[in-house]
Amino acid sequence: MQNVFIDEPVGNRLLPEDMKNLRGNFISHGGIIYVAGKTIAPGQSKLQEQVMIPGEYRVEGNGLTLDGEALQDGDVIALERGRYDFGNTGETAASIRWAAAGEKSESRIGLQDLFTDY
């Protein structure tokens, strides 16, 4: 088993480029559940990011700019696979989250909540 979302991944089942793509295109939704999305750190005026999963995303936290267009918290946008310029001039992180997933869960779902010993 390999968890690419922890700081120091254990194991070597994935290529480094695959790990980078997974980390860069999924965000925590609650505990160990991840959904398509990106987090943009504060202070980024023009950060080019690759979107690997096309679909509808909801803006969360601060407003963002996407290719120069201002987006507000709660806006839903449709993105195709490709490169986009993101900006976050706010003081806290902002995200785009797979819209169909709903809002981030405060649940701390762990591996034992999904699997059990026999």
Side-chain angles (χ1 to χ4, degrees):
M1 172 184 260
Q2 183 175 10
N3 184 346
V4 300
F5 298 105
I6 59 176
D7 290 335
E8 305 246 352
V10 177
N12 59 358
R13 295 181 183 166
L14 295 173
L15 296 171
E17 184 175 330
D18 292 335
M19 287 177 38
K20 178 183 172 191
N21 286 333
L22 287 170
R23 282 182 164 196
N25 286 280
F26 288 86
I27 59 176
S28 178
H29 191 61
I32 64 168
I33 306 298
Y34 284 74
V35 297
K38 292 188 173 290
T39 299
I40 310 301
Q44 298 288 334
S45 60
K46 189 174 182 182
L47 175 68
Q48 190 172 91
E49 285 282 321
Q50 177 78 26
V51 172
M52 302 289 285
I53 299 103
E56 290 190 337
Y57 291 84
R58 180 181 303 97
V59 176
E60 297 178 342
N62 290 326
L64 292 171
T65 59
L66 176 67
D67 290 341
E69 180 183 342
L71 301 170
Q72 302 302 315
D73 184 26
D75 286 353
V76 175
I77 53 172
L79 298 177
E80 297 296 323
R81 185 174 286 118
R83 290 202 166 277
Y84 296 90
D85 289 328
F86 289 92
N88 175 5
T89 57
E91 295 182 9
T92 59
S95 299
I96 58 169
R97 179 180 309 277
W98 189 255
E103 294 182 16
K104 181 177 180 175
S105 172
E106 295 303 318
S107 173
R108 296 285 180 219
I109 298 169
L111 195 56
Q112 292 297 72
D113 297 318
L114 299 176
F115 300 97
T116 186
D117 296 330
Y118 288 93

